[in-house]
Amino acid sequence: MRPTDVMRGSPPAPEAQVTRANWRSFPAIRWGFTHTREVLPTAEIRRSSQPTPILNAPRELSKLDFAAPGGKSTTIEATLRETFGDALLVMHRGTLIHEWYGDGMSRTTPHLICSISKAIAGTLGGVLTARGLLDPEARVVRYVPELENSAYGGCTVRNLLDMAVAIKFEEDYEAPAGDVVRYRFSSGWDVPPPGVDPGHQRAYLTTLRGTGKPHGKVFHYVSPNTEVLGWVYERACGMPYQRILSEYLWQPMGAEEDGSLTLDSHGMGRIAGGLSFTARDLIRFGEMIRCRGVVQGRQVVPGWWIDDIRENGDPQAWADGDLAEFFPGARYRSKWFTIDPSRNAMTAIGIHGQHLYVDWDSDTVIVKLATQPKAMDVPIDKRWFAAFNAITAHVTPR
């Protein structure tokens, strides 16, 4: 069955139905990622009453050719087709020069952005810090004392931001049982088998245990760290995460469409991966990052926080961590990746093919959304990094 056959008919045929049991599986995933509000309970992320305008000056980029890893010649158009692309937007010096959508997508279609949600949470931390609501160097239990006996009892907010918590948790998306499976039950993303209590996220987070090693030394990518970060924000601000995000970041940035956040059975958001936004609002966010937090002359995110993300991140922690074999020499800071430190660029990455790429050398921002069948596919990621390099080189005046 093709993705375009899913959820066709009234009602759709049983094999074409999208449910909580299959919504992230191919071919249901494309419909699931663009109709998340119809699959799971969600909270609204309110748009701005005065959206930031987007200037358009279209340029032909689909036929741009480049060398994929391994040396094979390909094009942007072929790469989108062959890697399950749903949207590709390119903004150069504040002007949208390329806007492409796949089947079932448009400029007003929300799309689940998976772990790009983490980079948004990391950016939001700068806003809260500048307002005096958050201390990144404080211990987590200053805000959430319920976590005293968990893995988070001795770590700081900064450890959460930088994925440097010494925790016993393996982020294996393909394992049929284990940490990620239990985590997804608690978030409401997956349906547990009969007799298994799904619980809820806050209760689940208190059960996680540490390794006994010092925090802050090794990069260890663990999605629940970002759920804890969201819990910290809620305690610091005295309001739910969706309202914090809307009032402190998404509305001031000038979002044009409402977004959403998936919720567990107790109303806690999936801060690490449950946000859905349009590609246009995501590129607004990326352009704000490129402009050091400024939108139409207003400082939305502190410029020094964005500078800190660009300039910092512990190279040794990365070298000793989970992903060094795939991206040697990279860095991670406040939920953003610097994949290639030789380039003045950083990226937010989500499973199943989500990318937000900000390149200061060429003044370019790129949003690429997809519904790849595999959660993590490093060869496809590397192909897209080569595509981003080709795009930035093409738009930069010689």
Side-chain angles (χ1 to χ4, degrees), residues 149-199:
N149 296 320
S150 74
Y152 302 102
C155 76
T156 65
V157 177
R158 172 50 63 192
N159 298 147
L160 297 176
L161 285 161
D162 294 349
M163 291 290 188
V165 179
I167 183 174
K168 293 178 180 177
F169 186 98
E170 294 302 320
E171 190 105 352
D172 184 346
Y173 305 114
E174 306 300 327
D179 296 328
V180 171
V181 171
R182 290 189 292 273
Y183 166 47
R184 285 177 170 164
F185 289 161
S186 76
S187 72
W189 274 34
D190 284 353
V191 181
V196 175
D197 181 7

Side-chain angles (χ1 to χ4, degrees), residues 1-289:
M1 182 184 297
R2 298 171 300 175
T4 51
D5 294 329
V6 170
M7 293 297 283
R8 290 291 179 91
S10 298
E15 65 273 14
Q17 288 272 1
V18 178
T19 69
R20 281 180 60 202
N22 70 357
W23 71 283
R24 294 188 325 280
S25 301
F26 191 84
I29 186 172
R30 178 170 289 170
W31 194 94
F33 270 32
T34 54
H35 295 78
T36 308
R37 297 179 208 182
E38 298 169 52
V39 179
L40 301 174
T42 60
E44 193 173 62
I45 310 294
R46 290 289 297 158
R47 64 188 183 274
S48 173
S49 60
Q50 296 181 309
T52 302
I54 289 180
L55 302 176
N56 289 274
R59 294 173 59 177
E60 173 55 53
L61 294 180
S62 61
K63 305 301 182 184
L64 180 64
D65 65 296
F66 65 97
K72 181 182 177 181
S73 179
T74 187
T75 64
I76 299 298
E77 182 179 55
T79 300
L80 282 165
R81 183 177 64 252
E82 294 165 8
T83 64
F84 308 90
D86 293 333
L88 179 67
L89 277 63
V90 179
M91 183 170 278
H92 182 238
R93 295 181 176 171
T95 298
L96 191 62
I97 63 170
H98 183 83
E99 185 172 22
W100 174 89
Y101 298 104
D103 291 334
M105 284 284 293
S106 73
R107 64 174 56 185
T108 60
T109 305
H111 193 289
L112 191 72
I113 61 172
C114 299
S115 288
I116 295 179
S117 303
K118 294 182 175 71
I120 291 173
T123 304
L124 180 58
V127 179
L128 303 184
T129 300
R131 290 174 177 261
L133 296 166
L134 180 73
D135 178 2
E137 304 310 319
R139 290 178 65 204
V140 166
V141 293
R142 170 177 159 185
Y143 302 96
V144 189
E146 296 94 323
L147 293 170
E148 181 68 61
N149 296 320
S150 74
Y152 302 102
C155 76
T156 65
V157 177
R158 172 50 63 192
N159 298 147
L160 297 176
L161 285 161
D162 294 349
M163 291 290 188
V165 179
I167 183 174
K168 293 178 180 177
F169 186 98
E170 294 302 320
E171 190 105 352
D172 184 346
Y173 305 114
E174 306 300 327
D179 296 328
V180 171
V181 171
R182 290 189 292 273
Y183 166 47
R184 285 177 170 164
F185 289 161
S186 76
S187 72
W189 274 34
D190 284 353
V191 181
V196 175
D197 181 7
H200 60 93
Q201 281 192 148
R202 290 188 182 92
Y204 174 73
L205 295 172
T206 66
T207 69
L208 298 178
R209 296 293 177 256
T211 64
K213 297 180 180 179
H215 300 295
K217 300 297 183 182
V218 176
F219 171 80
H220 181 37
Y221 191 92
V222 172
S223 286
N225 292 349
T226 310
E227 311 300 356
V228 173
L229 184 67
W231 195 355
V232 167
Y233 290 177
E234 291 180 333
R235 285 288 172 80
C237 299
M239 63 179 79
Y241 183 81
Q242 58 268 21
R243 184 176 162 193
I244 300 168
L245 176 56
S246 182
E247 293 187 9
Y248 287 114
L249 183 55
W250 223 242
Q251 289 183 17
M253 180 196 77
E256 187 172 15
E257 303 289 343
D258 291 335
S260 66
L261 174 68
T262 69
L263 302 175
D264 73 0
S265 62
H266 282 51
M268 183 182 184
R270 179 81 187 274
I271 287 92
L275 288 171
S276 292
F277 293 120
T278 66
R280 279 192 157 219
D281 280 337
L282 199 55
I283 210 161
R284 284 181 170 96
F285 173 70
E287 177 65 8
M288 177 190 63
I289 297 294

Side-chain angles (χ1 to χ4, degrees), residues 184 195 243 295 358 396:
R184 285 177 170 164
R243 184 176 162 193
V295 177
V358 182
T396 304

